[in-house]
Amino acid sequence: MKEYSHEFAEYLFHTPSDFEKTGGLWIIRAGRNKAKADYQVGPRMIECYSLHFIISGSATILYGNDTVTLSKGDLFCLFPHQRYSYHVNASASDSDLRMYWLAFDGGQAQSVLKRLGLTPELPYLRSIQSYEHEPVIVRIHNLLREKKKNAGELELVSLLYQLFAHLSEQPSSSLSTFGSVDWLKRAVQYMDTHYMEGITVADVVEVAGVHRSHVYNECIRLLGLSPQHYLTKLRMNRALELLFDHKLSVTEISLSLGYPDLFAFSRAFCKYYGKSPTRYIADRR
């Protein structure tokens, strides 16, 4: 690390390639530091997102009109176009402040941070276990130090997602925000994506993570349909598209939609449309 006026630090800059920018996340810079007694950053703004992991010591962060003091094992996130500042906690009696940081951007940045419970209004997490994410950060630092053109592109992208995967598994109460607020959205997206794969209402309930009766009542209230009827609607709408496409036989369509056999599909189709698949097509000619 090099010595600066208020810290010892290593700054590692990265210019993401066109390939990296085709993905949802890419790294911009990373680094590490050991703060001096007069350490102070900001007030300022940045153009990207930046995670700061406190390895030792403690720091006071000012964001918006709020202030929080964080210590070893905590992290905070700087959001683009938001004013912030942070400095050594003057009242701390423990070891010097040391941090790792990782700046990134991309279309998925805001949503992946939200999954962790990180927002501009609440930009920090406490008591994050470092034994999984610290080796990932160290490996990212090593790749950035090599500075070889196109070297490690895939690994850099993979490591960034790996880091967020580790953080999303942390037993912090903040991380439950996404699941508790958006369980119905998650359940509907699951049905929209996998309805052709023979999923059941029991599978939907498991994905939602709430009681079966609650899933049923909320689907009725917001969708106007029970989960089973919503799945049936998706399958029957797709069945008509496939029937009129004339590329698949009725048996092939039934298996493509996740039904175990032609009989099960024909029974469901007849119940939904009032006639068999072959009769429905014949009547439309």
Side-chain angles (χ1 to χ4, degrees):
M1 291 193 289
K2 294 175 61 175
E3 183 173 5
Y4 297 89
S5 59
H6 62 291
E7 66 178 340
F8 297 90
E10 179 182 28
Y11 293 90
L12 300 165
F13 298 98
H14 178 64
T15 302
S17 65
D18 291 339
F19 167 77
E20 288 171 89
K21 287 187 175 182
T22 60
L25 296 171
W26 55 82
I27 294 171
I28 294 176
R29 59 182 174 270
R32 58 191 178 111
N33 79 334
K34 179 180 179 181
K36 294 183 179 181
D38 59 346
Y39 183 72
Q40 165 79 41
V41 175
R44 56 172 292 192
M45 294 191 301
I46 60 174
E47 299 295 312
C48 59
Y49 302 84
S50 186
L51 285 177
H52 292 244
F53 301 82
I54 299 178
I55 307 304
S56 67
S58 60
T60 298
I61 294 87
L62 286 73
Y63 60 99
N65 297 320
D66 297 310
T67 301
V68 64
T69 297
L70 304 175
S71 57
K72 178 181 178 180
D74 300 338
L75 70 81
F76 63 94
C77 181
L78 308 180
F79 285 78
H81 314 301
Q82 301 287 325
R83 181 188 296 175
Y84 69 89
S85 65
Y86 52 93
H87 56 81
V88 168
N89 180 18
S91 62
S93 58
D94 54 1
S95 56
D96 295 331
L97 173 65
R98 291 196 305 118
M99 294 187 294
Y100 288 124
W101 64 81
L102 180 66
F104 59 96
D105 209 341
Q108 291 182 326
Q110 188 169 358
S111 60
V112 79
L113 289 171
K114 184 180 177 182
R115 294 176 73 96
L116 301 179
L118 290 167
T119 65
E121 295 75 30
L122 191 68
Y124 61 89
L125 295 175
R126 296 188 184 275
S127 302
I128 299 299
Q129 299 172 0
S130 65
Y131 63 87
E132 287 190 329
H133 71 254
E134 192 166 346
V136 177
I137 296 173
V138 170
R139 178 56 184 161
I140 290 173
H141 285 186
N142 288 337
L143 285 173
L144 296 183
R145 287 189 191 102
E146 293 176 5
K147 294 183 179 179
K148 296 178 181 177
K149 185 176 181 181
N150 297 329
E153 283 182 322
L154 285 172
E155 188 174 0
L156 278 175
V157 172
S158 173
L159 287 168
L160 188 54
Y161 281 101
Q162 187 178 337
L163 173 64
F164 283 113
H166 289 326
L167 292 174
S168 68
E169 295 167 359
Q170 295 292 323
S172 168
S173 59
S174 301
L175 304 184
S176 64
T177 302
F178 177 79
S180 63
V181 173
D182 294 333
W183 67 263
L184 181 59
K185 178 181 177 181
R186 189 166 66 249
V188 173
Q189 288 176 336
Y190 177 76
M191 290 189 284
D192 289 344
T193 303
H194 299 291
Y195 71 91
M196 294 180 69
E197 299 168 27
I199 62 172
T200 65
V201 174
D203 297 321
V204 177
V205 170
E206 183 177 355
V207 168
V210 298
H211 194 274
R212 185 186 184 99
S213 63
H214 194 41
V215 175
Y216 179 87
N217 291 334
E218 288 300 294
C219 282
I220 290 291
R221 185 174 70 86
L222 296 175
L223 300 178
L225 297 169
S226 70
Q228 184 60 62
H229 287 154
Y230 187 74
L231 283 171
T232 301
K233 177 183 177 182
L234 292 173
R235 289 166 179 155
M236 291 300 107
N237 288 345
R238 183 61 176 147
L240 286 187
E241 293 176 1
L242 294 173
L243 283 169
F244 285 107
D245 193 40
H246 301 296
K247 291 181 180 179
L248 298 177
S249 68
V250 176
T251 298
E252 291 169 334
I253 291 172
S254 66
L255 298 176
S256 299
L257 290 171
Y259 289 94
D261 50 46
L262 174 60
F263 176 74
F265 168 66
S266 296
R267 183 174 58 184
F269 190 96
C270 188
K271 184 177 180 180
Y272 192 84
Y273 288 111
K275 57 187 72 175
S276 70
T278 51
R279 172 53 60 188
Y280 191 97
I281 291 295
D283 290 348
R284 290 302 181 96
R285 288 174 179 168

